[in-house]
Amino acid sequence: MKTGLTVVALTIPMVFVLVFGVAASPPPDGTIRAAAVLPAALATTADGEATKYAYVGSSKCKMCHIKQHKSWKKTKMGLAFDTLKPGAVADVKKAHGLDPNKDYTTDETCLKCHTTGLGHEGGYFIPDASDKKAVRKAKKLQGVGCESCHGPGSEYVKLHTELLKTKRKYKIEEMYAAGMVKVDASTCVTCHNEQSPTIAKGDAFDYEAKKNEGTHERIPLKQRE
Ligand code: HEC
Ligand code: HEC
Ligand code: HEC
Ligand code: HEC
């Protein structure tokens, strides 16, 4: 990885390269390819409100927000899907009455909080194991992804792409109008609540303490007014 602005030839990847002082190549896994067509369902924000926006997966954000992505993918939320695999964190499962040898990766009651946008347009779905394309698509939505907190990205990614090109100033209201969700304590408690088998009744979620640990590295914004 190089630092400093890198200018490359005018190719498709170009738009993804001039990023906050860090150059990134588009992922080799073909992220630019058109998203698979999924069964239509109304997308919702983290708090369950219906929206007209679709989920696109965290890898779409990586090319521009490389530092946030890099730190996020190592967090517990980035790895939340792996927790559902048999044998993973066996002690914690036992302590909470879960079966440490059971495969919970196809259990929808768990997936709704351990994946991104379960059941919504563009969101996580349980893939047919023989359908390689579906398996790849679903993999990008495993864990608590960027859009679990920031909202489904189908429309605001277009706005961000334009902001990257023009470098103009913007107001936060533009982001919300394009489907971004204001992140606050209410975003977190859609999952950090007593429906989780590991959270005891009455356990309060301390937003101020948790928001800077366990989400991702913070990089000051430059274009926001
Ligand atoms: C879509 C559901 C979901 C949302 C929304 C969500 N989380 Fe989480 N969070 C999880 C899950 C699931 C885990 C546990 C992952 C694991 O260990 O497998 C977790 C773990 C964490 C952890 C590490 C464990 C702990 O409790 O210390 C922190 C910190 C955390 N989340 C903070 C936040 C904050 C702050 C927000 C809101 C800005 C938030 N989360 C929003 C599902 C969510
Ligand atoms: C309502 C949302 C929600 C549901 C449903 C949910 N989880 Fe979680 N899970 C969380 C959150 C949030 C955390 C992190 C906070 C904590 O454990 O204190 C978590 C943490 C965990 C952990 C602990 C991980 C660690 O590293 O310590 C395990 C294990 C786990 N979940 C398994 C499951 C399984 C298995 C299911 C389905 C039977 C499930 N969860 C359903 C939200 C949920
Ligand atoms: C668990 C919730 C959560 C997840 C998951 C999450 N973020 Fe964030 N993000 C936040 C919070 C909280 C802030 C700070 C918002 C504030 O203070 O107004 C933030 C801020 C940001 C910012 C503003 C600049 C900065 O660094 O502070 C960017 C850009 C961003 N996130 C991108 C991403 C990307 C890309 C991903 C996925 C790789 C991601 N986020 C995943 C919660 C999350
Ligand atoms: C083509 C590049 C590009 C892509 C792709 C992209 N963004 Fe952005 N994003 C930007 C730029 C540029 C800004 C404005 C940065 C600034 O003000 O310094 C921004 C701003 C943000 C902010 C801060 C909003 C605010 O004002 O508080 C968040 C959060 C964010 N992006 C999340 C995401 C997420 C999540 C994805 C993927 C679904 C994504 N972005 C995809 C370029 C991109």
Side-chain angles (χ1 to χ4, degrees), residues 171-185:
K171 289 198 170 69
I172 189 68
E173 288 72 25
E174 274 187 72
M175 296 289 189
Y176 299 151
M180 274 198 103
V181 172
K182 182 174 168 29
V183 185
D184 59 22

Side-chain angles (χ1 to χ4, degrees), residues 76 83 93 104 109-110 113-114 191-193 195-198:
K76 286 208 164 191
T83 299
K93 284 181 184 153
Y104 288 101
T109 56
C110 316
C113 297
H114 285 253
C191 299
H192 287 263
N193 63 47
Q195 284 174 36
S196 161
T198 57

